[in-house]
Amino acid sequence: MNANSPIVHVVDDDAAWRTSLERLLLAGGYRVALYESAEDFLAASHVEAPGCILLDVRMPGLTGLQLQKRLAEVRQVLPIVFLSGHADIPIAIQAMKAGAQDLLTKPVDKDVLFRAIEEALVRDRESRGAHDRLEALRSRLNGLTRSERQVFDHVVRGRLNKQIAGDLGITERTVKWHRHNLMEKLQVRSVAALVSLAEQLDMLGGRDRS
Amino acid sequence: MESPRRIRAHPGWSGCLLWLRLGALVLGGLCCALLPAHAAVKEARILILNGTDPYLPGYLAFDSALRANLTKDAAWSIVLFSEALDGQRFAVEALEHEYLALLSKKYRALSIDVVVAVTRPALEFFVRNGERLWPGARVVYQGSGVGMAGHQMLPLHATGVLAPEDVEGTIALARRMQPRSRQMMVITGASDQDRRFEQLARKAVTGSAEGLSTEFLSGLPQAELVAAVAAAPPDTMILFLTQFRDRDGRPYTPRVLALEVIKVAQSPVYSISETFVGTGAVAGMVEVLEERGRLVAERVLDALAGRVPDPARAMHQIASRCVADARALKRLSLDASLLPEGCEIRFADRSIWDEYFWVSLGAIGVLAAQSLLIAVMRVQMRRRRAAEAEARKRFSEMAHMNRRVAMGEMSASIAHELNQPLGAIRNNAGAAELLLDADPPRLRDVKEILNDIKRDDQRASDIIARIRKMLVKAEFQVRDIDLNVAIDETTALLAEEAALRGVTIRAELVAGLPQVCADAVEVKQVVVNLALNAMEAMHDQPPAQRRLTIQTRCANDHEAEVSVRDSGAGIPSDLLPRIFEAFVTSKASGMGLGLAISRTIIETHGGRMRAENGPEGGAIISFTLPFAVAAPA
């Protein structure tokens, strides 16, 4: 394990459960963090390490579902595996619809638990990966000059060089020059890739101005 | 203002009289219709001519017996007249002239059919004057038979009933009663009547005299007589016959004198008069006056009917009868078995049975009725006890079912509660597995894990045990229990359920609450019922507002009170009076039996349950339980 090993966060009010679960997870090679309540979890500062949350459904104070909602609001994206003391279908449906990774019933078989954790961690990696990529794209975009940015905006809207020159009041040659630079900075080779990038960054909303 | 009343004769009178007359007519007609067929009921007039004092008890008794027997014959309508000569105290011959004048005047217009001549003076009076005073009247004589045989001038068709005057028999009776006695005292007076009896006595004594010394006290003045009797030695036989006059001519009422004599006599006194035997004389051969009255009446009726008597049997002598007074016998310590057979013992001490026959019968009847009532009540009581036992058994079953239902309602929370320790055990076991597979195996950690497993297993067992205690189907078992402890156990039972529903339970238990006498399971059952109801009631409240408070306190010096309060909407006012009835519920599901069963449980414990709405809006259900009575030191 290293500093970037995934952490399994256990949120449950039952001490015996927490302890036993920690033991099991440690034996399984995971890093574990224990929280007595949903409030404790929210209060704790989380290093942006990968991981997932093992969350009890029913707790005094903030319930598991409420915590799920709260986390979604603050865009905390760790996957949640719910653990429930009794099968409650309405709660299960609600949890899954709100984006939970899984819902398991106590007592839980260790293999089932580990598999669920792994799936959660995979999802976490994937969503992290996606997130990172977007972040990279964003930062590259931010590296464009103003003029490059303007040209970019027009290109991804399907404007021809000649049209862009007219729109911006610059020569077609200058347009070509900016176009070459921004594609290098953004590390794309085609207009299609540019458009795709814009889409990913969700910049294409609104009506085409042309 | 009253209207003026009209003045006239009493409005009802004329009408009244008319009705009375009509009534009388109807009544008369009815009487005629009801009278026996032979309309000829003859009227007879009987004159009782008493030659002596008619008010002497003997003659009063005879007179009433005579009258009773005369009126028995329905063929005659008898009218009775009575005259008295009082010949013992007044010389009849001296007054004869006046008597005649009076009597002839009285009976001039009145014809007498039969004259009953009572005592010899009356008979002689009749012989002398009867023809003149009461022509056509026959005579029936009653009196002494002495000297009768020589009497030539008996009237035509005269009949009579002669007194026995059994002096001899009485003396013989006395000798039977006092076999060892050698002393006899005979008391008679100085009048002619008295002397006659003296003669009878002398004759009787000479007849049976062996070894007997007899003293004749004849005509002694009272004082002397009484003294002589008092001085008589104890085993003397005293024969009081009669004394109308003493030797000085003083008149006496024989009975009164006899009483004085009897008072001082230390020996038994015998008599020939039935009435004396009732006033202290021990016994005697007497004439029974009832019989005399009957026989005389027979002869009167015969005379009225015109029957001609057989001269040989015209005068009938009544047989004397033995009569004794049990009180006198007892007083003088005489042996009643010495009496002749068939002697009538009067005034015997009646046993309780005799004396109070009807009362005793009544008392026995009452006792019997009471016994019957008690027996019936015993049977009823037994039946009722059996019924009560049956009812209790049924209620026990119902209470048990209610417990099961309550536990069933809590099944989700029970499962939840159990899954915590079971889950922990599973996790620990999984960890142990992995640790044992490690290289080297982490045995110390595994040991620690096993301890935790044991602890969690115990936890699970405790939860199950708690549930099972509630599901017990035991008999009603009353013990001294600590209410606060029971409430704590109940809140532990309910903890998971409350958590599940987002309800906060708070227990406010007063310290030092004395023990109550109750069945712990049933008390907990009641609190569970109330708490589940309360939690259900708060279902619609926002979670922060779901508060359940269980409180204990001393209601007074002999009861504890438990109250369960919720923060729901309260009990609807139209439901509140009926809330404890069976099948009354505001819940959409459920049978509405929980409160009914709970209240019955509390009432069986001798407590009371009540429901009300609290000031802050929720419902408060509270119940009392009596404190356990401390055992005497």
Side-chain angles (χ1 to χ4, degrees), chain B residues 259-303:
Chain B
L259 274 172
E260 294 302 314
V261 164
I262 287 165
K263 247 193 254 182
V264 301
Q266 293 169 338
S267 309
V269 175
Y270 299 85
S271 165
I272 52 167
S273 296
E274 186 187 22
T275 47
F276 286 18
V277 175
T279 52
V282 156
M285 298 303 290
V286 305
E287 178 191 11
V288 175
L289 294 165
E290 278 280 340
E291 200 179 342
R292 185 209 280 180
R294 183 171 55 82
L295 290 169
V296 168
E298 269 176 32
R299 274 159 181 70
V300 167
L301 292 170
D302 281 347

Side-chain angles (χ1 to χ4, degrees), chain B residues 26-40:
Chain B
V26 170
L27 211 58
L30 272 174
C31 283
C32 287
L34 289 171
L35 277 176
H38 59 293

